[in-house]
Amino acid sequence: MVNIETFDEYKERLLDELKNIDVVEQLEIINDDEINFTVKNPNYNEGFLVDLESVWRQYKIVGNLDLLNVFIEQQKSKVLLWGLKNKTFGELKDKLIPSLLPVNKVSKEGENYITRNLSRDFKTTLMYDLKYVRQALQDDCFPFLPDTADMMNIAANNLMNKGWGNEEEIFENEHFQFFTYRISDSYISHYQFFIKELIEESMGDCFFAFPTENTAYAVKVKGNKMDSVIESLNVLSKRVQFSYKEEVEPLSQDIVRYKDGEYEFLTKK
């Protein structure tokens, strides 16, 4: 991105980027009040608010141009999702990944989402994955779809081809290594933990949890002493509970044990 010095320059750049997306036949900018606007496409009866002020304020504080870059790409990805219903499965399949959503969220918002039960708290959900946004697929949007199991296998293979989403933070003591993962600019699904080839290569035997849709924790115990296992689970459980309670829309308090190629859900009652 070229250097941007004023808010008006940034707004103009964003508008130009949106209007130049070649898959959009008709795009309207409405409710323009200088600091934000709504982007709408009448063909799909869809739209979204672009809040320019918040990201510009962040940029002025930290001075990192990447913030503006990423924000523009996020808005472009939202526009690209408008044409989803016009795509064939062949056009969709290379960008499908499995993700996890809370059971209550699926029940409330996505009765037609393509899902598979995974635990008491969350379901595996089929997502169309662009660089900065994702969209759950609904089975009533497409006339011809393979079986759910086949689509989930395709999505899992796509995720495996992306590779392991590396941890952002590591804490270590004499008992364990504690890893924090956050889903951010380059989206990696929590479901990577349920692909055995990936978890074996990257983590091996461990405990992990997903308190929110954007955060995962994993713990690798050092040695075989029970004291180390207890200490590891105690730290992981407290961190999960804290994140879960702080989140507006939490995912799960489950802790999952992966050992010798098998999964065990240590469900919090």
Side-chain angles (χ1 to χ4, degrees):
M1 179 185 284
V2 297
N3 190 38
I4 294 175
E5 296 184 358
T6 68
F7 179 84
D8 288 340
E9 287 177 350
Y10 177 55
K11 181 178 179 180
E12 182 179 357
R13 177 62 183 269
L14 175 54
L15 287 170
D16 287 343
E17 292 273 358
L18 291 175
K19 291 175 181 178
N20 288 331
I21 298 176
D22 57 11
V23 299
V24 179
E25 297 177 0
Q26 187 176 4
L27 183 146
E28 295 180 357
I29 307 297
I30 59 176
N31 297 333
D32 188 341
D33 64 359
E34 302 301 330
I35 61 173
N36 55 54
F37 55 84
T38 297
V39 181
K40 189 172 182 180
N41 189 330
N43 291 339
Y44 300 107
N45 194 29
E46 293 181 276
F48 58 89
L49 178 69
V50 178
D51 181 3
L52 284 164
E53 184 183 25
S54 295
V55 69
W56 182 258
R57 191 185 303 119
Q58 285 182 289
Y59 166 65
K60 296 301 289 184
I61 292 172
V62 301
N64 185 351
L65 203 58
D66 287 342
L67 283 173
L68 304 185
N69 245 334
V70 168
F71 187 77
I72 286 178
E73 293 301 321
Q74 287 173 332
Q75 310 320 303
K76 290 166 64 177
S77 293
K78 291 176 184 178
V79 170
L80 289 170
L81 287 176
W82 283 343
L84 206 58
K85 296 177 182 179
N86 292 338
K87 293 182 180 293
T88 65
F89 182 75
E91 293 172 318
L92 293 171
K93 66 179 184 179
D94 289 341
K95 292 188 179 296
L96 298 181
I97 61 168
S99 187
L100 300 180
L101 288 181
V103 168
N104 58 356
K105 184 172 184 177
V106 173
S107 300
K108 181 180 178 181
E109 300 180 9
E111 294 181 357
N112 295 315
Y113 286 175
I114 299 170
T115 64
R116 184 169 60 186
N117 289 329
L118 188 56
S119 80
R120 181 196 65 173
D121 286 341
F122 46 75
K123 292 188 175 187
T124 307
T125 307
L126 198 66
M127 294 281 183
Y128 184 72
D129 177 44
L130 293 176
K131 186 175 182 181
Y132 294 103
V133 297
R134 57 192 173 120
Q135 176 66 49
L137 289 194
Q138 299 184 49
D139 56 15
D140 60 349
C141 290
F142 306 94
F144 305 107
L145 290 175
D147 291 339
T148 296
D150 292 336
M151 288 189 288
M152 289 295 181
N153 287 335
I154 290 171
N157 285 332
N158 290 342
L159 189 60
M160 188 162 63
N161 290 335
K162 281 177 174 281
W164 185 261
N166 289 327
E167 67 282 347
E168 287 195 358
E169 299 174 12
I170 303 175
F171 168 77
E172 185 172 1
N173 64 20
E174 69 274 19
H175 295 291
F176 59 81
Q177 291 177 297
F178 188 98
F179 302 86
T180 299
Y181 299 79
R182 291 190 179 89
I183 296 171
S184 54
D185 300 343
S186 180
Y187 182 78
I188 296 294
S189 169
H190 288 337
Y191 195 81
Q192 68 178 8
F193 284 87
F194 291 100
I195 299 176
K196 290 185 179 181
E197 294 91 337
L198 286 179
I199 196 170
E200 282 287 352
E201 181 180 349
S202 302
M203 293 293 296
D205 291 352
C206 63
F207 296 92
F208 60 86
F210 314 127
T212 81
E213 289 186 46
N214 296 314
T215 305
Y217 300 123
V219 169
K220 276 191 68 69
V221 181
K222 293 183 177 180
N224 297 314
K225 292 183 178 180
M226 185 55 63
D227 286 350
S228 293
V229 175
I230 293 172
E231 178 67 15
S232 301
L233 284 175
N234 183 49
V235 171
L236 178 59
S237 178
K238 287 181 178 179
R239 194 71 190 96
V240 168
Q241 290 177 47
F242 176 81
S243 296
Y244 186 90
K245 290 176 182 177
E246 290 293 309
E247 182 70 12
V248 176
E249 295 183 351
L251 182 54
S252 174
Q253 294 186 78
D254 284 348
I255 291 176
V256 186
R257 182 180 192 178
Y258 179 76
K259 183 175 176 61
D260 299 330
E262 300 295 331
Y263 295 94
E264 179 184 4
F265 283 84
L266 310 178
T267 303
K268 181 176 177 59
K269 302 299 185 183

